[in-house]
C-alpha cells in the first residue's frame, strides 16, 4: 500500500491488483450475481473503482459457476476493474453452516480470477461469549495459515474478536503478520444495523492500530454515509456497501447525514441523479423494480459524494473538523464521536507534527482533539520541570502572529518565571507562541468571556502550589537586569518540544547566533560555529535541521532515537541527497513523529542525511512502497551541485 496523503490515521492510499490500481478510501458496491440492480459498468460512472461479489453464491449456482469457471469472474460480471470476492462467511453466519471448506472456496475464487480473495473466516458476533470469540479468532487464523501462498491475487484475512479489545488486538496482530495482504474488520454488521457506532469505534481502533499498517484495511458492511467519515478518520481504507440497494428496496434515500423515506420528501436534492428528471411522487408510483433501480442510483451517488468530501478533507487535513461537524447529525453519531475522543491518545500517535489547516477551537470539547495531545503533555512537562512562580498572559493581552508586547518580554527577560499564555482554555509556555498549533488556530473565544484559573484544564493543578498571578497584577520594571534572552529560550523550548527535552541545549548552545527575517522580524536561522544548524519555519514554527544540527543531535542521543537506519544499498544515495524509500529501512525509532525531521543513518550509525519522515515511527517499518523520508540536507549533497 502506497500512501499519497495522510491526516492522522486517515489516508489516501493506493494499491495494485491484477486488474489495476485502487485509490483509497473507497467503497466497493456489493453486486449480487443473481440480481443485478445497477450494472457494474454503470457503477464506474458513480465513482466505483472496484466491486465486491460473493463467490459462495456463484459456486452454488450451476449456471453462474460454469460461466465463471469458463470465462472468468470479470466476464461474468461484465466489469474490467478489480473484483473482490467474499467467501460465504456471512451466509454461514445468517443460515448456519456452508457446504464448502475454506480451502475449496479460496481455490474456487482463485480459479475464477478474483483479484481479492477472502478466506472462510469465522464470524464473531457482538454477543459471542469470550470463549466463542477467542475460538473465532484462532480458527480464522488457522484458516489463513492453511491457504497455500500464491502470487497474483490478494488474500483477505479478516480480523475477528467480537467486542473484546484484547481479542481484536490479538487477531489484528496475527493477521497483520500472516500472509494476508488485505485486512477486513469482520463481525460488525449487527452493530452497524443497530447504529451501535460507539462499540464499532472501539473495534476499529483496536483492530487498526494493532495490525500491519502497510496493508489496506476494510470495514465489512460499513457502507452507510453517516459513519463513513468517522471510520476513515480511524484509518479504514475500504468499505463494501449493499446499503445502496437495501435502502432502495425499502423506499429509502441515503443522504450524507442520514436517510429519508421517498414518501416524505418534497424533491430530490440537486446532486441526485434523479433531480430534475422525476418528482419523488412519480418515482414512488413506479413498479417496484424500476423504483429500486432509480433509488439505488441516488444512493450510490450519495455514497460517492460523501467519499469525495472525505478525500477533500484528508487533502486539507481537516477530517477531524468534518467528523466534529457530522457528529451533530444524530445523537448516536455524537456518542461515537465522544468515544473517538476517548481514544485520543492512541490516535495522537499518528498525528503529524503540524497541519496545513489551523486548529479550530469551539469549546472545551475541542480540547480533546488528538492534535493537542502533544502540546498538552509538553506544557505539563514544562511546568513540572520549572516549579516556580507563574504569570498568566490572558487571551486578550496577546495575539497570535503579532509580536509580544514589550512589557511581557521585559518581564520574561528579567525574571525566572513561567510565563504562560492563556490559549483556548489551556495554559501553554509563551516560548511556543509561534509553534503549531499555538499560533495557527482560530478560536471562538470572545473578550467578555470570563475564565478563571480553577477552570483551566491543563496545568492549573501543577502551577497552583506556587504563586500564580495574572499579568495585570504584576509590577513590571523595564530597567531590571536582564537574566535570560527570550529568543534563545524560545528556540530551545521549541527544539525540546520538537525533538525531546534537552535537545534545545544540544542544538543551540550558548554563543549560537540567531538571525531574523528583515521583513517579518521573525527568527530564521540559527548558527553555531559559523554554520547553520536549523531554520525556523514560518509555516508552523518548528525547525528544519541541517546536517550540522543533525550531527549534534546524533552525538547527544542514544541509538536509535530520532533515527531512520537504512541498509547499504540505500546509504550512498541518501548521503548524496536522495529520498529514503521504505524498502531500504533496517530499523527506525518507534517514537518518530510523522512530519518531523529525522536523522538518516547507516547501520554503523553514521549520519547520511536529515529529512522529514512522511509517517510515524511504527509505520516506517510496515510500508514497502514509496518515500519514507524526504531528504532536505545530506552529507555529500554539495558534491552533486559542484
Ligand atoms: N461480510 C460481513 N461481515 C463479514 C465477515 O465478518 N467476514 C466475511 N468474510 N464477510 C463478511
Amino acid at each position: 500500500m502506497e500512501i499519497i496523503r495522510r491526516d492522522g490515521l486517515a489516508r489516501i492510499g493506493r494499491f495494485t491488483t491484477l486488474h489495476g490500481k485502487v485509490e483509497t478510501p473507497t467503497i466497493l458496491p456489493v453486486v449480487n450475481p443473481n440480481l443485478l440492480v445497477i450494472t457494474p459498468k454503470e457503477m464506474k460512472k458513480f465513482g466505483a473503482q472496484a466491486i465486491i461479489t460473493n463467490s459462495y453464491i456463484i459456486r452454488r449456482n450451476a449456471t453462474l459457476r460454469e460461466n465463471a469457471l469458463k470465462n472468468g469472474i470479470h466476464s461474468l460480471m461484465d466489469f474490467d476493474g478489480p473484483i473482490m470476492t467474499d467467501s460465504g462467511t456471512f451466509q454461514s453466519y445468517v443460515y448456519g453452516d456452508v457446504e464448502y471448506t475454506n480451502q475449496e472456496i479460496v481455490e474456487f475464487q482463485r480459479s475464477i480470477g478474483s483479484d481479492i480473495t477472502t478466506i472462510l473466516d469465522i464470524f464473531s458476533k457482538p454477543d459471542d461469549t469470550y470463549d466463542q470469540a477467542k475460538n473465532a479468532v484462532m480458527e480464522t487464523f488457522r484458516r489463513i495459515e492453511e491457504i497455500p501462498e500464491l502470487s497474483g491475487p490478494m488474500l483477505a484475512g479478516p480480523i475477528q474478536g467480537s467486542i473484546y479489545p484484547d481479542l481484536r488486538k490479538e487477531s489484528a496482530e496475527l493477521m497483520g503478520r500472516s500472509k494476508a495482504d488485505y485486512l477486513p474488520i469482520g463481525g460488525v454488521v449487527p452493530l452497524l444495523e443497530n447504529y451501535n457506532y460507539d462499540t464499532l469505534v472501539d473495534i476499529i481502533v483496536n483492530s487498526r492500530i494493532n495490525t500491519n499498517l502497510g496493508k489496506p484495511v476494510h470495514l465489512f458492511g460499513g457502507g452507510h454515509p453517516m459513519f463513513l467519515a468517522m471510520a476513515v478518520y480511524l484509518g479504514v481504507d475500504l468499505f463494501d456497501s449493499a446499503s445502496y440497494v437495501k435502502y432502495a428496496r425499502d423506499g429509502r434515500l441515503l443522504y450524507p447525514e442520514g436517510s429519508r423515506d421517498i414518501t416524505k420528501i418534497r424533491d430530490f436534492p440537486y446532486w441526485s441523479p434523479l433531480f430534475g428528471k422525476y418528482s419523488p411522487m412519480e418515482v414512488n408510483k413506479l413498479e417496484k423494480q424500476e423504483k429500486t433501480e432509480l433509488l439505488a442510483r441516488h444512493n450510490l451517488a450519495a455514497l460517492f459524494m460523501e467519499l469525495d468530501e472525505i478525500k477533500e478533507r484528508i487533502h486539507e487535513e481537516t477530517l477531524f473538523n468534518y467528523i466534529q461537524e457530522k457528529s451533530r447529525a444524530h445523537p448516536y453519531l455524537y456518542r461515537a464521536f465522544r468515544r473517538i475522543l476517548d481514544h485520543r491518545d492512541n490516535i495522537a500517535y499518528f498525528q503529524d507534527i503540524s497541519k496545513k489547516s489551523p486548529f479550530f477551537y469551539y469549546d472545551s470539547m475541542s480540547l480533546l482533539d488528538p492534535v493537542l495531545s502533544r502540546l498538552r503533555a509538553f506544557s505539563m512537562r514544562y511546568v513540572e520541570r520549572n516549579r516556580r512562580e507563574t504569570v498568566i498572559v490572558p487571551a486578550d493581552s496577546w495575539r497570535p502572529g503579532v509580536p509580544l508586547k514589550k512589557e511581557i518580554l521585559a518581564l520574561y527577560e528579567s525574571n525566572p518565571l513561567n510565563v504562560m499564555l492563556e490559549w483556548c482554555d489551556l495554559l501553554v509556555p509563551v516560548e511556543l507562541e509561534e509553534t503549531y498549533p499555538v499560533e495557527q488556530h482560530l478560536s471562538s473565544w470572545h473578550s467578555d468571556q470570563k475564565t478563571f484559573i480553577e477552570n483551566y484544564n491543563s496545568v492549573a493543578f501543577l502551577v497552583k502550589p506556587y504563586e500564580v498571578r495574572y499579568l495585570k497584577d504584576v509590577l513590571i520594571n523595564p530597567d531590571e537586569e536582564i537574566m535570560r534572552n527570550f529568543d534563545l529560550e524560545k528556540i530551545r523550548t521549541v527544539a525540546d518540544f520538537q525533538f525531546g527535552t534537552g535537545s534545545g541545549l544540544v542544538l543551540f548552545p550558548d554563543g549560537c547566533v540567531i538571525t531574523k527575517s528583515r521583513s517579518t522580524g521573525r527568527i530564521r536561522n540559527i548558527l553555531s560555529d559559523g554554520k547553520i544548524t536549523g531554520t525556523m519555519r514560518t509555516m508552523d514554527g518548528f525547525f528544519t535541521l541541517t546536517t550540522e544540527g543533525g550531527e549534534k543531535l546524533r552525538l547527544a542521543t542514544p541509538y536509535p532515537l530520532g533515527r531512520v537506519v537504512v541498509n547499504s544499498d540505500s546509504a550512498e544515495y541518501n548521503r548524496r541527497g536522495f529520498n529514503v524509500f521504505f524498502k531500504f529501512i533496517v530499523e527506525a525509532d518507534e517514537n518518530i513523529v510523522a512530519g518531523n525531521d529525522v536523522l538518516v543513518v547507516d547501520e554503523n550509525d553514521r549520519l547520511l542525511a536529515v529529512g522529514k519522515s512522511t509517517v510515524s515511527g511504527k509505520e516506517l517499518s510496515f510500508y514497502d512502497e514509496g518515500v519514507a523520508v524526504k531528504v532536505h540536507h545530506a552529507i555529500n549533497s554539495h558534491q552533486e551541485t559542484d
Side-chain angles (χ1 to χ4, degrees):
M1 175 107 171
E2 186 187 352
I3 304 305
I4 300 163
R5 275 289 155 85
R6 47 178 282 137
D7 184 4
L9 275 167
R11 53 195 188 178
I12 295 181
R14 202 185 286 137
F15 63 93
T16 305
T17 72
L18 292 173
H19 283 79
K21 289 186 190 285
V22 177
E23 187 177 290
T24 66
T26 194
I27 301 176
L28 315 186
V30 174
V31 179
N32 182 337
N34 278 320
L35 210 70
L36 278 192
V37 177
I38 301 180
T39 63
K41 250 187 185 161
E42 190 189 341
M43 284 175 181
K44 272 194 179 171
K45 294 195 197 122
F46 288 94
Q49 304 169 55
I51 56 168
I52 179 167
T53 188
N54 198 302
S55 63
Y56 173 74
I57 295 175
I58 296 173
R59 183 162 176 169
R60 271 177 51 137
N61 176 306
T63 320
L64 293 174
R65 180 177 65 234
E66 294 319 314
N67 189 338
L69 282 170
K70 189 154 161 246
N71 305 311
I73 181 95
H74 292 83
S75 156
L76 179 71
M77 309 302 284
D78 191 20
F79 184 72
D80 59 4
I83 299 181
M84 176 173 184
T85 44
D86 202 353
S87 54
T89 293
F90 196 63
Q91 283 65 24
S92 112
Y93 153 66
V94 179
Y95 307 112
D97 267 353
V98 293
E99 57 273 41
Y100 310 118
T101 66
N102 174 45
Q103 299 210 38
E104 282 166 353
I105 199 71
V106 173
E107 192 40 51
F108 178 68
Q109 294 172 60
R110 287 176 171 179
S111 55
I112 62 177
S114 165
D115 297 295
I116 307 170
T117 59
T118 309
I119 60 163
L120 189 66
D121 51 315
I122 308 295
F123 193 97
S124 57
K125 302 186 293 298
D127 58 0
D128 271 359
T129 63
Y130 186 88
D131 287 346
Q132 284 170 322
K134 173 100 188 167
N135 280 339
V137 168
M138 297 324 287
E139 177 59 13
T140 298
F141 179 60
R142 192 193 66 74
R143 291 186 180 190
I144 194 106
E145 292 289 280
E146 74 179 6
I147 301 296
E149 295 255 9
L150 180 70
S151 66
M154 294 173 91
L155 184 63
I159 297 169
Q160 297 287 351
S162 182
I163 56 166
Y164 305 101
D166 62 319
L167 293 183
R168 283 282 168 186
K169 178 168 189 277
E170 187 175 1
S171 185
E173 285 171 354
L174 286 171
M175 277 302 164
R177 281 198 301 267
S178 78
K179 64 170 84 69
D181 19 37
Y182 188 101
L183 303 168
I185 299 173
V188 299
V189 170
L191 297 173
L192 283 155
E193 284 172 347
N194 297 326
Y195 299 95
N196 194 345
Y197 294 134
D198 53 337
T199 307
L200 198 53
V201 165
D202 293 342
I203 289 176
I204 297 174
V205 171
N206 290 323
S207 306
R208 174 64 168 80
I209 66 172
N210 291 305
T211 200
N212 184 327
L213 302 160
K215 298 179 182 178
V217 172
H218 178 131
L219 187 66
F220 259 142
H224 193 296
M226 262 170 102
F227 188 67
L228 282 182
M230 288 195 187
V232 172
Y233 178 78
L234 297 176
V236 174
D237 303 301
L238 295 115
F239 303 85
D240 57 285
S241 168
S243 59
Y244 74 99
V245 193
K246 280 195 195 149
Y247 276 74
R249 276 200 202 107
D250 293 344
R252 293 193 69 77
L253 295 145
L254 295 176
Y255 287 75
E257 302 80 29
S259 50
R260 293 192 170 104
D261 199 290
I262 179 83
T263 58
K264 306 239 168 78
I265 59 167
R266 284 179 318 112
D267 205 351
F268 293 111
Y270 185 70
W271 48 262
S272 171
L274 310 188
F275 176 84
K277 295 199 181 107
Y278 309 87
S279 74
M281 215 145 41
E282 281 165 355
V283 173
N284 197 35
K285 284 193 195 130
L286 294 172
E287 273 198 38
K288 176 91 182 169
Q289 195 185 339
E290 202 181 344
K291 177 173 152 186
T292 302
E293 256 178 57
L294 289 176
L295 297 191
R297 288 200 179 96
H298 166 103
N299 289 346
L300 268 187
L303 283 165
F304 283 101
M305 182 176 76
E306 177 65 2
L307 259 182
D308 279 346
E309 180 64 22
I310 292 169
K311 285 172 101 167
E312 209 61 51
R313 296 300 189 126
I314 298 176
H315 270 284
E316 286 173 356
E317 301 176 4
T318 59
L319 190 57
F320 183 84
N321 301 351
Y322 189 51
I323 65 164
Q324 178 162 279
E325 276 169 42
K326 291 206 69 140
S327 69
R328 293 284 181 165
H330 193 284
Y332 294 170
L333 275 184
Y334 194 58
R335 193 155 70 188
F337 178 62
R338 298 207 316 201
R339 191 63 74 90
I340 289 177
L341 298 179
D342 291 342
H343 289 285
R344 64 186 171 278
D345 290 337
N346 281 326
I347 299 168
Y349 175 85
F350 297 91
Q351 299 286 328
D352 274 44
I353 189 150
S354 65
K355 290 192 185 207
K356 291 191 278 201
S357 62
F359 166 70
F360 281 8
Y361 179 75
Y362 296 98
D363 55 29
S364 55
M365 195 82 156
S366 313
L367 295 180
L368 305 179
D369 184 335
V371 86
L372 296 189
S373 293
R374 250 175 242 132
L375 176 64
R376 247 172 205 289
F378 182 79
S379 302
M380 198 84 86
R381 278 201 305 279
Y382 179 94
V383 178
E384 261 168 1
R385 266 187 299 129
N386 305 308
R387 293 174 174 260
R388 57 194 181 193
E389 193 180 333
T390 295
V391 171
I392 296 175
V393 181
D396 55 5
S397 297
W398 70 284
R399 285 238 313 276
V402 175
L404 283 178
K405 288 182 187 157
K406 287 212 172 57
E407 70 254 36
I408 301 176
L409 279 182
L411 171 78
Y412 185 98
E413 296 201 321
S414 51
N415 295 281
L417 296 164
N418 293 328
V419 178
M420 308 290 284
L421 299 174
E422 186 186 72
W423 182 85
C424 303
D425 272 343
L426 292 181
L427 292 179
V428 298
V430 67
E431 296 92 334
L432 299 184
E433 59 160 347
E434 286 173 30
T435 318
Y436 180 88
V438 179
E439 178 172 298
Q440 302 77 0
H441 83 286
L442 297 171
S443 170
S444 66
W445 193 88
H446 51 96
S447 56
D448 56 356
Q449 181 172 319
K450 296 233 172 356
T451 45
F452 300 95
I453 180 78
E454 283 73 22
N455 290 341
Y456 287 117
N457 283 298
S458 56
V459 297
F461 68 96
L462 282 173
V463 299
K464 264 199 311 198
Y466 306 87
E467 194 172 358
V468 184
R469 288 181 292 168
Y470 280 92
L471 187 64
K472 67 176 170 34
D473 303 323
V474 183
L475 271 182
I476 296 165
N477 176 4
D479 297 330
E480 256 176 297
E481 200 186 328
I482 302 268
M483 48 187 307
R484 53 181 183 168
N485 174 284
F486 181 60
D487 289 338
L488 183 60
E489 297 298 324
K490 179 191 260 184
I491 59 174
R492 285 179 177 168
T493 307
V494 172
D496 282 356
F497 184 28
Q498 187 175 357
F499 300 109
T501 304
S503 308
L505 259 178
V506 168
L507 282 168
F508 310 128
D510 289 345
C512 67
V513 175
I514 300 174
T515 69
K516 293 192 173 182
S517 152
R518 264 200 235 141
S519 53
T520 62
R522 290 165 79 115
I523 295 173
R524 284 293 291 158
N525 294 325
I526 322 298
L527 292 88
S528 233
D529 304 324
K531 288 191 175 137
I532 298 177
T533 42
T535 304
M536 194 181 252
R537 301 192 283 260
T538 357
M539 188 186 66
D540 62 4
F542 285 108
F543 286 105
T544 297
L545 296 183
T546 61
T547 46
E548 278 77 16
E551 183 62 2
K552 278 182 192 287
L553 267 191
R554 191 193 66 80
L555 287 169
T557 51
Y559 179 94
L561 246 57
R563 292 156 171 84
V564 172
V565 187
V566 297
N567 68 20
S568 52
D569 290 341
S570 174
E572 193 42 42
Y573 289 97
N574 307 133
R575 196 198 310 276
R576 282 160 42 201
F578 292 97
N579 291 335
V580 175
F581 288 89
F582 285 107
K583 55 176 177 271
F584 300 114
I585 295 176
V586 177
E587 193 179 357
D589 174 8
E590 275 205 353
N591 291 313
I592 284 170
V593 175
N596 202 8
D597 269 14
V598 291
L599 315 176
V600 180
V601 299
D602 67 12
E603 288 174 87
N604 296 317
D605 199 24
R606 279 180 301 222
L607 186 73
L608 306 165
V610 182
K612 200 171 162 164
S613 180
T614 58
V615 298
S616 64
K618 278 189 203 148
E619 290 167 277
L620 280 167
S621 42
F622 281 125
Y623 295 123
D624 44 20
E625 266 183 88
V627 174
V629 182
K630 286 188 183 145
V631 167
H632 49 66
H633 287 85
I635 293 290
N636 279 354
S637 60
H638 56 279
Q639 290 188 350
E640 288 290 297
T641 48
D642 277 355

